[in-house]
Amino acid sequence: MNAVQLLERLVSIPSVSGNEDEIATNLSGILSKEGFKVQREDNSIWFMLGERERPHLLLLSHLDTVPPCAGWTSDPFKAHIENGKLIGLGANDAKGSVAAMILTAREIRHTHYEGSITFAFVADEERGGEGVRAIKPRLGHIDAAVVGEPTGLQICTAQRGLLILRCTAHGKASHAAHAHLGENAIHKAARDISRLAVMEFEAHEDLGATRAEVTQITGGLARNQVPDRCEFFVDLRTTPNLDHATVANEIGAALESEVAIHSHRYEPISTNASEAVVRAALEVADATAGIESVTTSDWAFLKGTPAVKVGPGDTNRSHRPNEYLLLSELEKGVAFYSRFIHTYFRMAAKEVAHV
Ligand SMILES: [Zn+2]
């Protein structure tokens, strides 16, 4: 099975988050037949090349997809090739990266390099990262990681986090005709929302500013009643210089409403340019500097491990109808990962010798 056939197969197995059993079973069958020693936890699978010697490199991507959106002009769960494009749900995000990593594993398994590599393909990336969080403790110490997502093979060295706050404005109900007896919770929320709209946080030197976006609001029970409660959600795409708890406290102090953290598990993250994983990736990509990414990924759960996000495809095609990967991108992806592995081990060998 060549790269294109493998990607066709992966795309033709529906794997919307929460339903990855079939793809995990199918892929571990293919890999086991080729002699890889596949391990599995729930619907995430991984295998290792090398004998646990360091440095230990992790290549990680995800098997799940979002549900198909409206606007597809073909069956999203059937891969088909047209004008050099492989079209189907997940072709770009991120089964192209999965296929490229597997082809890389096949290519390099009989070559020499100083270290070991774990290839992991996990479930639930699109829904909360349950897959990567479950397997991480079982992988042992990891010296560096590559997260396979469509970046056009550009080297992403910083990624925004996600902090979601749930704010509740409390008031006092009354008949709207006797409004002086009540306290309008929606008015209170409105004042807070105006404050949030102009609130500024310390900007990151590469990623820039973080904004507080109010994304949902509910309040009021009847058209003739002063509302005693109004709830709204705030979405903050945070940068690595900001601490989630500090930001939440800052907002809590500035608002009249009660502020609670609804979700903070997607930490903002970045890797220093001096790390071997960054230097190796930039050298292979023939680039001088990394790029920044506004979308979250499983990288958020690898905090403390030097990592880059890089893979074939284009993030703008993700979660959209008629998602595709160019066959030429797939081929370049395989070439990139293979060259990267050798370059990384060459650069890291010296460093780990001193650990
Ligand atoms: Zn993805």
Side-chain angles (χ1 to χ4, degrees):
M1 210 183 291
N2 64 30
V4 177
Q5 291 162 334
L6 178 62
L7 182 54
E8 273 186 298
R9 168 80 81 96
L10 294 175
V11 169
S12 298
I13 305 170
S15 59
V16 175
S17 308
N19 297 283
E20 301 98 332
D21 178 60
E22 192 186 342
I23 196 168
T25 302
N26 221 288
L27 184 56
S28 56
I30 293 169
L31 294 168
S32 302
K33 229 179 255 169
E34 294 179 18
F36 295 108
K37 292 197 171 60
V38 182
Q39 291 185 269
R40 179 168 177 168
E41 164 95 36
D42 197 9
N43 291 329
S44 299
I45 62 172
W46 71 96
F47 61 89
M48 194 181 206
L49 297 181
E51 297 299 321
R52 289 210 170 273
E53 73 231 71
R54 293 185 58 193
H56 180 196
L57 178 65
L58 170 67
L59 268 71
L60 169 78
S61 193
H62 64 94
L63 296 174
D64 62 318
T65 71
V66 291
C69 57
W72 279 83
T73 53
S74 61
D75 183 349
F77 297 115
K78 277 213 178 81
H80 74 278
I81 294 169
E82 204 180 288
N83 300 329
K85 297 171 177 174
L86 194 151
I87 305 161
L89 182 61
N92 178 69
D93 180 16
K95 293 177 179 180
S97 292
V98 173
M101 285 178 172
I102 290 169
L103 264 287
T104 301
R106 275 194 208 150
E107 251 182 57
I108 59 155
R109 68 192 297 194
H110 300 301
T111 66
H112 178 78
Y113 48 84
E114 303 279 336
S116 52
I117 316 167
T118 293
F119 291 83
F121 307 113
V122 300
D124 201 53
E125 190 271 348
E126 299 286 3
R127 217 174 45 168
E130 201 57 63
V132 67
R133 286 186 288 160
I135 70 162
K136 194 170 171 245
R138 298 188 54 186
L139 302 181
H141 178 84
I142 297 160
D143 291 292
V146 174
V147 180
E149 289 283 348
T151 67
L153 295 180
Q154 289 186 286
I155 313 307
C156 174
T157 53
Q159 173 180 286
R160 282 186 186 260
L162 171 59
L163 172 63
I164 303 174
L165 302 176
R166 188 179 63 246
C167 306
T168 312
H170 298 283
K172 227 162 48 179
S174 76
H175 194 297
H178 307 299
H180 62 285
L181 299 174
E183 191 191 343
N184 194 316
I186 291 181
H187 289 184
K188 193 187 268 188
R191 289 192 293 275
D192 281 344
I193 290 167
S194 306
R195 291 182 181 109
L196 282 166
V198 294
M199 227 172 144
E200 285 180 4
F201 307 91
E202 188 193 69
H204 184 265
E205 53 173 343
D206 299 319
L207 287 163
T210 293
R211 299 163 54 97
E213 293 294 326
V214 177
T215 52
Q216 274 187 318
I217 180 164
T218 46
L221 295 171
R223 282 193 303 277
N224 59 354
Q225 185 189 46
V226 172
D228 68 347
R229 188 184 164 91
C230 179
E231 189 179 79
F232 56 96
F233 284 89
V234 186
D235 175 305
L236 295 114
R237 304 293 162 147
T238 52
T239 51
N241 56 313
L242 299 175
D243 173 65
H244 280 172
T246 310
V247 170
N249 285 338
E250 219 174 285
I251 291 176
L255 304 192
E256 297 172 62
S257 301
E258 184 192 328
V259 175
I261 292 179
H262 180 70
S263 169
H264 65 124
R265 62 183 170 207
Y266 284 100
E267 298 258 13
I269 207 156
S270 64
T271 304
N272 199 291
S274 64
E275 293 288 350
V277 66
V278 175
R279 288 184 287 120
L282 289 175
E283 183 181 304
V284 176
D286 199 19
T288 49
I291 60 157
E292 297 81 39
S293 170
V294 295
T295 52
T296 61
S297 74
D298 275 344
W299 182 12
F301 305 111
L302 300 176
K303 200 165 186 168
T305 302
V308 294
K309 182 162 83 173
V310 54
D314 181 343
T315 183
N316 294 317
R317 291 180 215 144
S318 303
H319 306 195
R320 298 183 70 182
N322 304 323
E323 177 183 345
Y324 67 90
L325 188 73
L326 293 170
L327 301 181
S328 58
E329 291 173 326
L330 180 58
E331 201 178 308
K332 284 179 195 149
V334 179
F336 175 87
Y337 288 137
S338 305
R339 282 188 56 206
F340 164 79
I341 288 170
H342 289 290
T343 309
Y344 168 74
F345 283 120
R346 173 166 53 76
M347 288 182 174
K350 295 169 205 149
E351 291 173 17
V352 172
H354 299 292
V355 173

